Amino acid sequence: MEERLTYRGHENTLFSHDGIHDSQTHLAAPTYFYEQLKQEIALSDRTGEMFSLIRVIFNRSNNQGESVDAKIGAVDILYFSEALKDLTRKQDCVARVGVNECVILIRARASNVEALLSRLLHSHKLTVENTLQISCATVEFAPGEKALTILNRLDAMSLSTR
């Protein structure tokens, strides 16, 4: 069970019961992300507009930058999530799909996605003062592809690190 912070201030409450946001980070909840993905696939099938998915995983790192099995704390998750929101556009769907895993649905071609991917991999904000190691992978939607197929392709992609 992950640790939770119980106080973020009166104006930015921790808990979200709307089914749209993750209750800890206020990123998109997995169920909302999957609905957005289905809608984006339908839109792409109708209009031909392309989109991509970016998978972002963060782990604790030691001073040498090597990944270790140290537990990721709630503070790390919150700081990482806030930094990720700052680095993406408001219209991008950024979802938390695991304790230390996020997926970004971005309506853009691969060349534009590469710029965002580079920004994510080189951002010092995401590493939370060099305590986290960031890994990313990306896939572009293929016409006629189903949600499960693109998600499986994304999971199979090798992760890039800095």
Side-chain angles (χ1 to χ4, degrees), residues 11 40 56-57 71-72 74 91 98 119 123 142 154:
E11 294 172 11
E40 200 63 39
V56 183
I57 295 177
K71 183 180 176 186
I72 293 173
Q91 65 264 31
R119 209 167 55 235
S123 172
L154 183 61

PDB file of all heavy atoms in Angstrom, residues 11 40 56-57 71-72 74 91 98 119 123 142 154:
ATOM      1  N   GLU A  11      -7.261  24.913  -0.533  1.00  0.00           N
ATOM      2  CA  GLU A  11      -7.651  25.174  -1.907  1.00  0.00           C
ATOM      3  C   GLU A  11      -7.255  24.055  -2.853  1.00  0.00           C
ATOM      4  O   GLU A  11      -7.706  24.003  -3.974  1.00  0.00           O
ATOM      5  CB  GLU A  11      -7.029  26.487  -2.368  1.00  0.00           C
ATOM      6  CG  GLU A  11      -7.602  27.663  -1.597  1.00  0.00           C
ATOM      7  CD  GLU A  11      -6.879  28.948  -1.897  1.00  0.00           C
ATOM      8  OE1 GLU A  11      -6.072  28.995  -2.834  1.00  0.00           O
ATOM      9  OE2 GLU A  11      -7.125  29.926  -1.179  1.00  0.00           O
ATOM     10  N   GLU A  40     -10.098   9.244 -28.425  1.00  0.00           N
ATOM     11  CA  GLU A  40      -9.049   9.703 -29.333  1.00  0.00           C
ATOM     12  C   GLU A  40      -8.915   8.753 -30.522  1.00  0.00           C
ATOM     13  O   GLU A  40      -8.704   9.191 -31.661  1.00  0.00           O
ATOM     14  CB  GLU A  40      -7.722   9.827 -28.585  1.00  0.00           C
ATOM     15  CG  GLU A  40      -6.716  10.707 -29.269  1.00  0.00           C
ATOM     16  CD  GLU A  40      -7.152  12.156 -29.400  1.00  0.00           C
ATOM     17  OE1 GLU A  40      -7.771  12.700 -28.461  1.00  0.00           O
ATOM     18  OE2 GLU A  40      -6.864  12.755 -30.449  1.00  0.00           O
ATOM     19  N   VAL A  56       5.914   7.118 -18.919  1.00  0.00           N
ATOM     20  CA  VAL A  56       6.954   7.689 -18.065  1.00  0.00           C
ATOM     21  C   VAL A  56       6.986   6.889 -16.766  1.00  0.00           C
ATOM     22  O   VAL A  56       5.967   6.782 -16.074  1.00  0.00           O
ATOM     23  CB  VAL A  56       6.683   9.179 -17.751  1.00  0.00           C
ATOM     24  CG1 VAL A  56       7.804   9.765 -16.922  1.00  0.00           C
ATOM     25  CG2 VAL A  56       6.464   9.978 -19.016  1.00  0.00           C
ATOM     26  N   ILE A  57       8.149   6.350 -16.445  1.00  0.00           N
ATOM     27  CA  ILE A  57       8.335   5.596 -15.211  1.00  0.00           C
ATOM     28  C   ILE A  57       9.430   6.286 -14.408  1.00  0.00           C
ATOM     29  O   ILE A  57      10.438   6.718 -14.969  1.00  0.00           O
ATOM     30  CB  ILE A  57       8.720   4.133 -15.509  1.00  0.00           C
ATOM     31  CG1 ILE A  57       7.572   3.440 -16.223  1.00  0.00           C
ATOM     32  CG2 ILE A  57       9.099   3.390 -14.232  1.00  0.00           C
ATOM     33  CD1 ILE A  57       7.865   2.026 -16.636  1.00  0.00           C
ATOM     34  N   LYS A  71      12.131   2.520  -1.662  1.00  0.00           N
ATOM     35  CA  LYS A  71      10.707   2.813  -1.780  1.00  0.00           C
ATOM     36  C   LYS A  71      10.494   4.259  -2.213  1.00  0.00           C
ATOM     37  O   LYS A  71      11.121   5.177  -1.708  1.00  0.00           O
ATOM     38  CB  LYS A  71      10.048   2.573  -0.422  1.00  0.00           C
ATOM     39  CG  LYS A  71       8.564   2.767  -0.433  1.00  0.00           C
ATOM     40  CD  LYS A  71       7.967   2.518   0.928  1.00  0.00           C
ATOM     41  CE  LYS A  71       6.491   2.821   0.923  1.00  0.00           C
ATOM     42  NZ  LYS A  71       5.916   2.726   2.247  1.00  0.00           N
ATOM     43  N   ILE A  72       9.579   4.428  -3.130  1.00  0.00           N
ATOM     44  CA  ILE A  72       9.194   5.762  -3.569  1.00  0.00           C
ATOM     45  C   ILE A  72       8.152   6.272  -2.595  1.00  0.00           C
ATOM     46  O   ILE A  72       7.161   5.608  -2.332  1.00  0.00           O
ATOM     47  CB  ILE A  72       8.634   5.725  -4.994  1.00  0.00           C
ATOM     48  CG1 ILE A  72       9.738   5.340  -5.956  1.00  0.00           C
ATOM     49  CG2 ILE A  72       8.026   7.055  -5.373  1.00  0.00           C
ATOM     50  CD1 ILE A  72       9.262   5.115  -7.356  1.00  0.00           C
ATOM     51  N   ALA A  74       5.408   9.208  -0.885  1.00  0.00           N
ATOM     52  CA  ALA A  74       4.299  10.046  -1.343  1.00  0.00           C
ATOM     53  C   ALA A  74       4.788  11.418  -1.791  1.00  0.00           C
ATOM     54  O   ALA A  74       4.282  11.966  -2.770  1.00  0.00           O
ATOM     55  CB  ALA A  74       3.261  10.192  -0.240  1.00  0.00           C
ATOM     56  N   GLN A  91      -4.092  20.487 -22.689  1.00  0.00           N
ATOM     57  CA  GLN A  91      -4.926  19.589 -23.481  1.00  0.00           C
ATOM     58  C   GLN A  91      -4.391  18.163 -23.551  1.00  0.00           C
ATOM     59  O   GLN A  91      -5.081  17.255 -24.009  1.00  0.00           O
ATOM     60  CB  GLN A  91      -5.148  20.134 -24.899  1.00  0.00           C
ATOM     61  CG  GLN A  91      -3.893  20.210 -25.741  1.00  0.00           C
ATOM     62  CD  GLN A  91      -3.263  21.579 -25.727  1.00  0.00           C
ATOM     63  OE1 GLN A  91      -3.347  22.304 -24.752  1.00  0.00           O
ATOM     64  NE2 GLN A  91      -2.615  21.940 -26.810  1.00  0.00           N
ATOM     65  N   GLY A  98       0.020   3.734 -12.376  1.00  0.00           N
ATOM     66  CA  GLY A  98       0.697   2.868 -11.419  1.00  0.00           C
ATOM     67  C   GLY A  98       1.328   3.722 -10.348  1.00  0.00           C
ATOM     68  O   GLY A  98       1.301   4.955 -10.427  1.00  0.00           O
ATOM     69  N   ARG A 119      12.370  16.824 -23.681  1.00  0.00           N
ATOM     70  CA  ARG A 119      12.163  17.749 -22.554  1.00  0.00           C
ATOM     71  C   ARG A 119      11.939  16.975 -21.258  1.00  0.00           C
ATOM     72  O   ARG A 119      12.465  17.338 -20.206  1.00  0.00           O
ATOM     73  CB  ARG A 119      10.967  18.653 -22.868  1.00  0.00           C
ATOM     74  CG  ARG A 119      11.043  19.997 -22.225  1.00  0.00           C
ATOM     75  CD  ARG A 119      10.046  21.004 -22.749  1.00  0.00           C
ATOM     76  NE  ARG A 119       8.668  20.575 -22.686  1.00  0.00           N
ATOM     77  CZ  ARG A 119       7.839  20.549 -23.729  1.00  0.00           C
ATOM     78  NH1 ARG A 119       8.252  20.913 -24.918  1.00  0.00           N
ATOM     79  NH2 ARG A 119       6.602  20.176 -23.575  1.00  0.00           N
ATOM     80  N   SER A 123      14.655  17.142 -18.080  1.00  0.00           N
ATOM     81  CA  SER A 123      14.164  18.080 -17.070  1.00  0.00           C
ATOM     82  C   SER A 123      14.676  17.712 -15.681  1.00  0.00           C
ATOM     83  O   SER A 123      14.525  16.579 -15.222  1.00  0.00           O
ATOM     84  CB  SER A 123      12.637  18.077 -17.046  1.00  0.00           C
ATOM     85  OG  SER A 123      12.176  18.839 -15.958  1.00  0.00           O
ATOM     86  N   ALA A 142      -1.442   3.775 -34.823  1.00  0.00           N
ATOM     87  CA  ALA A 142      -1.529   3.269 -36.195  1.00  0.00           C
ATOM     88  C   ALA A 142      -3.005   3.193 -36.569  1.00  0.00           C
ATOM     89  O   ALA A 142      -3.810   2.663 -35.801  1.00  0.00           O
ATOM     90  CB  ALA A 142      -0.878   1.888 -36.287  1.00  0.00           C
ATOM     91  N   LEU A 154       2.991  -0.088 -26.393  1.00  0.00           N
ATOM     92  CA  LEU A 154       3.676   0.846 -25.503  1.00  0.00           C
ATOM     93  C   LEU A 154       4.413   0.099 -24.395  1.00  0.00           C
ATOM     94  O   LEU A 154       5.565   0.410 -24.091  1.00  0.00           O
ATOM     95  CB  LEU A 154       2.681   1.841 -24.900  1.00  0.00           C
ATOM     96  CG  LEU A 154       3.265   2.938 -24.006  1.00  0.00           C
ATOM     97  CD1 LEU A 154       4.238   3.816 -24.788  1.00  0.00           C
ATOM     98  CD2 LEU A 154       2.139   3.776 -23.423  1.00  0.00           C
TER      99      LEU A 154
END
